[in-house]
Coordinates of all heavy atoms in Angstrom, one line a residue:
Chain Q
A266 N -18.7 89.7 -40.7 CA -18.0 88.5 -41.2 C -16.5 88.6 -40.9 O -15.8 87.6 -40.7 CB -18.2 88.4 -42.7
S267 N -16.0 89.9 -40.9 CA -14.5 90.0 -40.7 C -14.2 90.6 -39.3 O -13.1 91.1 -39.1 CB -13.9 90.9 -41.8 OG -14.6 92.2 -41.8
A268 N -15.2 90.4 -38.4 CA -15.0 91.0 -37.1 C -13.7 90.6 -36.4 O -13.1 91.3 -35.7 CB -16.2 90.6 -36.2
D269 N -13.3 89.3 -36.7 CA -12.1 88.8 -36.0 C -10.8 89.6 -36.3 O -9.9 89.7 -35.6 CB -11.8 87.4 -36.4 CG -12.9 86.5 -35.8 OD1 -13.6 86.9 -34.8 OD2 -13.0 85.3 -36.2
E270 N -10.8 90.2 -37.6 CA -9.6 90.9 -38.0 C -9.6 92.3 -37.7 O -8.6 93.0 -37.8 CB -9.4 90.7 -39.5 CG -9.2 89.3 -40.0 CD -9.7 89.1 -41.4 OE1 -9.6 90.1 -42.2 OE2 -10.2 88.0 -41.7
I271 N -10.8 92.9 -37.3 CA -10.9 94.3 -37.0 C -10.3 94.7 -35.7 O -10.8 94.1 -34.7 CB -12.3 94.8 -37.2 CG1 -12.8 94.5 -38.6 CG2 -12.4 96.3 -36.9 CD1 -14.3 94.8 -38.8
E272 N -9.3 95.5 -35.6 CA -8.8 95.9 -34.3 C -9.5 97.1 -33.8 O -9.9 97.2 -32.6 CB -7.3 96.3 -34.5 CG -6.4 95.2 -34.5 CD -5.0 95.6 -34.9 OE1 -4.7 96.8 -34.8 OE2 -4.3 94.7 -35.4
Q273 N -9.7 98.1 -34.7 CA -10.4 99.3 -34.3 C -11.4 99.7 -35.3 O -11.1 99.7 -36.5 CB -9.3 100.4 -34.2 CG -9.7 101.5 -33.2 CD -8.8 102.8 -33.4 OE1 -7.9 102.8 -34.2 NE2 -9.2 103.8 -32.7
L274 N -12.6 99.9 -34.9 CA -13.7 100.1 -35.9 C -14.0 101.6 -35.8 O -14.7 102.1 -34.9 CB -14.9 99.3 -35.6 CG -16.1 99.5 -36.6 CD1 -15.7 99.2 -38.0 CD2 -17.3 98.6 -36.1
G275 N -13.5 102.4 -36.8 CA -13.9 103.8 -36.8 C -14.9 104.0 -37.9 O -15.9 103.2 -38.0
R276 N -14.7 105.0 -38.8 CA -15.6 105.2 -39.9 C -15.4 104.1 -41.0 O -14.4 103.5 -41.0 CB -15.4 106.6 -40.5 CG -15.0 107.5 -39.4 CD -15.2 108.9 -39.8 NE -16.0 109.5 -38.8 CZ -16.5 110.7 -38.9 NH1 -16.4 111.4 -40.0 NH2 -17.2 111.2 -37.9
V277 N -16.4 104.0 -41.8 CA -16.2 103.2 -43.0 C -16.0 104.0 -44.2 O -16.7 105.0 -44.4 CB -17.5 102.3 -43.2 CG1 -17.4 101.5 -44.5 CG2 -17.8 101.4 -42.0
Y278 N -14.9 103.8 -44.9 CA -14.6 104.6 -46.1 C -15.1 104.0 -47.3 O -14.9 102.8 -47.6 CB -13.0 104.8 -46.1 CG -12.5 105.6 -45.0 CD1 -12.2 105.0 -43.8 CD2 -12.4 107.0 -45.1 CE1 -11.8 105.8 -42.7 CE2 -11.9 107.8 -44.1 CZ -11.6 107.2 -42.9 OH -11.2 108.0 -41.8
V279 N -15.8 104.8 -48.1 CA -16.4 104.3 -49.4 C -15.4 104.6 -50.5 O -15.0 105.8 -50.7 CB -17.7 105.0 -49.6 CG1 -18.4 104.4 -50.9 CG2 -18.6 104.8 -48.4
V280 N -15.0 103.5 -51.2 CA -14.1 103.7 -52.3 C -14.6 103.1 -53.6 O -15.5 102.3 -53.6 CB -12.7 103.0 -52.0 CG1 -12.0 103.7 -50.9 CG2 -12.9 101.5 -51.7
D281 N -14.1 103.6 -54.8 CA -14.5 103.0 -56.1 C -13.5 101.9 -56.4 O -12.7 101.5 -55.6 CB -14.6 104.1 -57.1 CG -13.2 104.7 -57.5 OD1 -12.2 104.1 -57.0 OD2 -13.1 105.7 -58.2
D282 N -13.7 101.3 -57.6 CA -12.9 100.2 -58.0 C -11.4 100.4 -58.0 O -10.6 99.5 -57.7 CB -13.4 99.6 -59.3 CG -14.8 99.0 -59.3 OD1 -15.1 98.6 -58.2 OD2 -15.5 99.1 -60.3
A283 N -11.0 101.7 -58.2 CA -9.6 102.0 -58.3 C -9.1 102.3 -56.9 O -7.9 102.7 -56.8 CB -9.4 103.1 -59.2
G284 N -9.9 102.2 -55.9 CA -9.5 102.5 -54.5 C -9.5 104.0 -54.2 O -9.1 104.4 -53.2
R285 N -10.1 104.8 -55.1 CA -10.2 106.2 -54.8 C -11.3 106.5 -53.8 O -12.4 105.9 -53.9 CB -10.5 107.0 -56.1 CG -9.3 107.2 -57.0 CD -9.5 108.2 -58.1 NE -10.5 107.6 -59.0 CZ -10.2 107.0 -60.2 NH1 -8.9 106.8 -60.5 NH2 -11.2 106.5 -60.9
L286 N -11.1 107.4 -52.9 CA -12.0 107.7 -51.9 C -13.2 108.5 -52.4 O -13.1 109.5 -53.1 CB -11.3 108.6 -50.8 CG -12.2 108.9 -49.6 CD1 -12.6 107.7 -48.8 CD2 -11.4 109.9 -48.7
K287 N -14.4 108.0 -52.1 CA -15.7 108.6 -52.6 C -16.4 109.3 -51.5 O -17.2 110.3 -51.7 CB -16.6 107.6 -53.3 CG -16.0 107.1 -54.6 CD -16.1 108.2 -55.6 CE -15.1 108.0 -56.8 NZ -15.1 109.1 -57.7
G288 N -16.3 108.8 -50.3 CA -17.1 109.3 -49.2 C -16.8 108.5 -47.9 O -16.0 107.6 -47.9
V289 N -17.5 109.0 -46.9 CA -17.3 108.4 -45.5 C -18.6 108.1 -44.9 O -19.6 108.9 -45.0 CB -16.5 109.3 -44.6 CG1 -16.3 108.7 -43.3 CG2 -15.2 109.7 -45.2
V290 N -18.8 106.9 -44.3 CA -20.0 106.6 -43.5 C -19.7 106.5 -42.0 O -18.7 105.8 -41.7 CB -20.6 105.3 -44.0 CG1 -21.8 104.9 -43.2 CG2 -20.9 105.4 -45.5
R291 N -20.4 107.2 -41.2 CA -20.2 107.2 -39.8 C -20.8 106.0 -39.2 O -21.9 105.5 -39.7 CB -20.7 108.4 -39.1 CG -20.0 109.7 -39.6 CD -20.6 110.9 -38.9 NE -22.0 111.1 -39.3 CZ -22.7 112.0 -38.8 NH1 -22.3 112.8 -37.9 NH2 -24.0 112.2 -39.2
R292 N -20.3 105.5 -38.1 CA -20.9 104.3 -37.4 C -22.3 104.6 -37.0 O -23.2 103.8 -37.1 CB -20.1 104.0 -36.1 CG -18.8 103.3 -36.4 CD -18.0 103.1 -35.2 NE -17.7 104.4 -34.6 CZ -16.9 104.6 -33.5 NH1 -16.3 103.6 -33.0 NH2 -16.6 105.8 -33.1
R293 N -22.6 105.8 -36.6 CA -24.0 106.2 -36.1 C -24.9 106.1 -37.3 O -26.1 105.7 -37.1 CB -24.0 107.6 -35.5 CG -23.5 108.7 -36.4 CD -23.9 110.0 -35.8 NE -25.3 110.3 -36.0 CZ -26.0 111.3 -35.4 NH1 -25.4 112.1 -34.6 NH2 -27.2 111.5 -35.7
D294 N -24.5 106.4 -38.5 CA -25.4 106.3 -39.6 C -25.7 104.8 -40.0 O -26.8 104.5 -40.5 CB -24.9 107.1 -40.8 CG -25.0 108.6 -40.5 OD1 -25.9 109.0 -39.9 OD2 -24.0 109.3 -41.0
L295 N -24.8 104.0 -39.8 CA -25.0 102.6 -40.0 C -26.0 102.0 -39.0 O -26.9 101.2 -39.3 CB -23.7 101.8 -39.9 CG -22.6 101.9 -41.0 CD1 -21.4 101.1 -40.6 CD2 -23.2 101.5 -42.3
L296 N -25.9 102.5 -37.8 CA -26.8 102.0 -36.7 C -28.2 102.6 -36.8 O -29.2 102.0 -36.4 CB -26.2 102.3 -35.3 CG -25.1 101.5 -34.9 CD1 -24.4 102.0 -33.6 CD2 -25.5 100.0 -34.7
M297 N -28.3 103.8 -37.3 CA -29.6 104.6 -37.3 C -30.4 104.4 -38.5 O -31.6 104.8 -38.5 CB -29.3 106.0 -37.0 CG -28.9 106.3 -35.6 SD -28.3 108.0 -35.3 CE -29.8 108.9 -35.6
N298 N -29.9 103.8 -39.6 CA -30.7 103.7 -40.8 C -31.0 102.2 -41.1 O -30.3 101.3 -40.8 CB -29.9 104.3 -42.0 CG -29.8 105.8 -41.9 OD1 -30.8 106.5 -42.2 ND2 -28.6 106.3 -41.5
P299 N -32.2 102.0 -41.7 CA -32.6 100.6 -42.0 C -31.6 99.9 -42.9 O -30.9 100.5 -43.7 CB -34.0 100.8 -42.7 CG -34.4 102.2 -42.4 CD -33.2 103.0 -42.1
D300 N -31.6 98.6 -42.8 CA -30.7 97.7 -43.6 C -30.7 98.0 -45.1 O -29.7 97.9 -45.8 CB -31.0 96.3 -43.3 CG -30.5 95.8 -42.0 OD1 -29.6 96.5 -41.4 OD2 -30.9 94.7 -41.6

Side-chain angles (χ1 to χ4, degrees):
Chain Q
S267 56
D269 290 344
E270 294 153 34
I271 299 175
E272 277 169 23
Q273 204 195 355
L274 177 62
R276 324 201 128 191
V277 176
Y278 291 86
V279 182
V280 293
D281 66 10
D282 290 333
R285 281 191 296 265
L286 182 65
K287 289 290 158 186
V289 180
V290 178
R291 296 179 296 174
R292 286 174 298 187
R293 57 168 283 169
D294 290 324
L295 289 178
L296 285 170
M297 286 170 66
N298 288 285
D300 280 347

